Each structure stands twice: as structure tokens, then as C-alpha cells.
Amino acid sequence: MNSQKETKLLILSLLSTTFLLGFGFWLWNQLFGKNIISLAPENKSQGTRGSTSERISLGKKILVTANTNSDKEAGVQAFAKGDFTSAANNFKASLLKDRNDPETLIYLNNSQGDKSKYLKIAVSVPIGGNLDVAKEILRGVAQAQDRINRTEGINGKLLQVAIASDDNDPSLAQQLATQFVKDTSILAVVGHNASNASIAAAPVYQQGGLVMISPTSFAQNLSGIGSHIFRTIPSISSVAGSLSTHIVKTARKTNIGICADSKAIDNQSFKDELVKGILAAGGKVNLTNCDLFAANFNPNAVISQFISSGADSLVLAPHVDRINKALELAAANQGKLTLFASPTLYTFQTLQVGKADVNGMVLSVTWHPNAIPNNDFSQNAVKLWGGNVNWRTATAYDATMAIAKGLQQSKSRDELQNVLHSPSFSVYGATGKIEFLPSGDRNGTAILVKVQPSSKSSTGYDFVPLNNK
């Protein structure tokens, strides 16, 4: 009997506790629940249309919140109401305050009237993941859009650009690609930045029949994914090949260390091609293992290991969002090993943070402002943005110009990819003549630049072409 009473009391106690917990949770939710929901961070893996739509803007919202002012805010508010005249006036006023803001220039060019006047494309950049790189790409798209809309347009139509933020996150890139495919008014996409994001999104574009042109992804396995996938940088074999030849034949290095990011698909491709080139040129690759992504990454220990194993040089190949790891290694090096790098390190951050640590470092890149004589892109960029731009701006400009040229000869998504694949297709851009191989890769070559002291740069250092010292 005592046992039965204890059991009944236990059950009653549990029921009472459950009721009180349930009531307490209900009461808390009624009083504070809305605040909890609104403060919760966005779940990036959640594939809802609402979450991705918040990451896309034609001009109704500011995505680059680091560049904002009262005029820009008034501009997006007017754009959201359909008052394009007021929106344009406010965006113009904003540019007078901040001429170096590509988002505002794109929104200004999107404010020239209703959608019937436009042909629409999208650009996807890592605003939340790597703002500097995102703005570099946006400047290229904005400069091309501005040039197109100020001249003849595209068969009488203006170019409209939707900006999207993918944070270099493969899952977000896939979600945005799905939304772009569903929006039949979008005729092509410039993007994505990191190869991890581009490779994740590419099958979505291919299956949906929407052209994607990446201006910056150089992973080898992006090639040949499908007929709708292109890029405006040379093949990674060309980029790595030019550097490996220089390291062995010109710099006369005989024992070359390589430190790459194991989670950066593009720089793993770069490393693979670099090793092939070094060996083919008669050089030796140091066997010290160095992974910039490793949890136990220790710059000082790595440099000591390379030196003790006979290395005379070191190639840095970081993920674009983890450039700081490569710069930590450059700082630990203290000039002991001659430094070289992949195109990823061609950034303002490299000069600003690296300074003397990266002085003399040679990089293989796709473009430099002084690389192509008599090309008005560089001069126009300085006038527009107030300073020199880098290769990501140039290749994003080229991607946009290629799409615009293709749209002059096509009226649908499928027609556009056919035109871009045509042997007769070409357009002159920032990096010269743009033509595509059957794989979708750019038919072109890389150049070499070197970090040198410069009084023209706010950092005290700049990238200088090796043949233009």
C-alpha cells in the first residue's frame, strides 16, 4: 500500500511540475517571446525564401551598412515607394558625400524608371563575410553598369543590377542561386566570389538554365560543370604556371615551401598546379606540412620547421576570408624566407596589415592598372572611385561587360549562354579581349606583381608589375 501511495504521489508531482513549466513557458512567451525571436541570429542553413530575399536588393534596402548616410537612407525609402525621381536625387547626393560607395551607384542606375526600361541581372558578393572584397567586386559591376547606361544601353534598354549578399557561404550561395533561377526577370548572374560558394551554386544555375559568370573563383573543378557556367579569370594552371616558372627560373629558388588553406578549394587547386610547375621547372617542393586552416596553426613554429628543413622560400595561399592567417605567417617570417603568393593576397588588407612583412613578395594575378597600355578602364576607375582598383574590380567589370555584349545578341537565358559560347564572341574589357573556352574558362594569361614601398599608397606599399618597376 505504501508503495502504491508513493507512486501516485510521484505521478501527481510530475503532472504538477509539467503544468507549471508549461504555464511558465506560455507566460514568458507572451511577455517576452517577440523580443527573443527578433534578437535571434538568422539561421544561415535555413532555406526559406524570406531569409534569402532579405539578402537581395535593387535599391529598397541598404546591404552595405558600413557605407550609409541620411541621403542614402532617404534614397532607399523613396525607391521602396516607387518614387524613382526622389530616389535618384538622394543617391546622387549620397555619392557626393561618399563617391567610393558602389552600392549607391548601382542603386542610382537602378532608379531611372520602371522595370520596363531595364534588362535585369544580379551580382552576389560576400558583404557579411568579406566586405572589402565585396566592394571590390561591386565597383567593377557598378562601373560597367554606369558606362552601359550612360552610352547606348543594350538595344535601347538600361541595365538593372540586383545586389545579393552570400557571405561566401556555400549554403547561402545555393539558396540565392535558387531564388535567382526562380526570378525569370534575371537574365544572368555575376558571382560568386570564393570558389567554395561558386562550386556549390553552379549546379543550381546549370539545372535552372541561368548564366553564372564568376569574376574571382579559380578552383580547377569549376571548369566544365555546365554550359551556363563561366568565369573571367584565366585558368589556374596559367596563374600558377607563371609564378612557378618565376620562382625557379628567375628568383632561383631551389627548396620551396607552400602554405595553403585546406578548406579553400581554389587555393588547393593553385597549390596542385604550382607543385606541378615547380617540379617541371626543376625545383624542389619542401615537404613540411603547413595548413592555414589548422586549429593548432602556429606561425612561429611553422617558419622554424621550414627553415630547419632547408626551405629558401615560401608560397602563401590562404582562403579569401582568412588572409590574416597568411599575414601572421609573413610577420613570423621576418624576411628569412623569400615570399610568394596566390592572387588571393592581392588586397588592400595585405598592404595595410602586412606592410614591411610582405615587402618584396611576388604574386601571380590576372590584372594590374598599369598592365595594359592605352586601356581607359584604369583612368575611368580613378575618376569614378577616387583611386586605383584591383583585379577583382577589373574581372567583375569584364563579367558585366560580357553579359551586356551577349544580351545585345540574345533575348533569353538559353540564347545568352549560346552567344557566350560562340567562337565568334568577344568583348574588350578591363583585362583586354574577353573570350571563353568551351569549358567556360577565360582564354587569357596571368601577370606577376611585387609588393614595393610606394609614396602613392596610404599604406606606404603597393603592388607593382615586375616588368614596370
Side-chain angles (χ1 to χ4, degrees), residues 139 316 457:
R139 287 189 191 106
L316 306 175
S457 170

Side-chain angles (χ1 to χ4, degrees), residues 228-286:
H228 288 74
I229 310 303
F230 301 83
R231 53 181 159 191
T232 48
I233 54 174
S235 69
I236 193 60
S237 58
S238 169
V239 174
S242 62
L243 185 61
S244 60
T245 299
H246 172 81
I247 292 172
V248 178
K249 300 295 185 182
T250 304
R252 302 291 182 182
K253 300 303 173 183
T254 58
N255 192 323
I256 301 108
I258 302 175
C259 197
D261 189 311
S262 62
K263 297 300 181 181
I265 298 174
D266 45 9
N267 278 285
Q268 284 299 310
S269 292
F270 174 81
K271 177 182 177 181
D272 292 343
E273 294 299 319
L274 187 73
V275 169
K276 291 179 186 177
I278 289 171
L279 296 177
K284 175 186 175 183
V285 176
N286 190 283

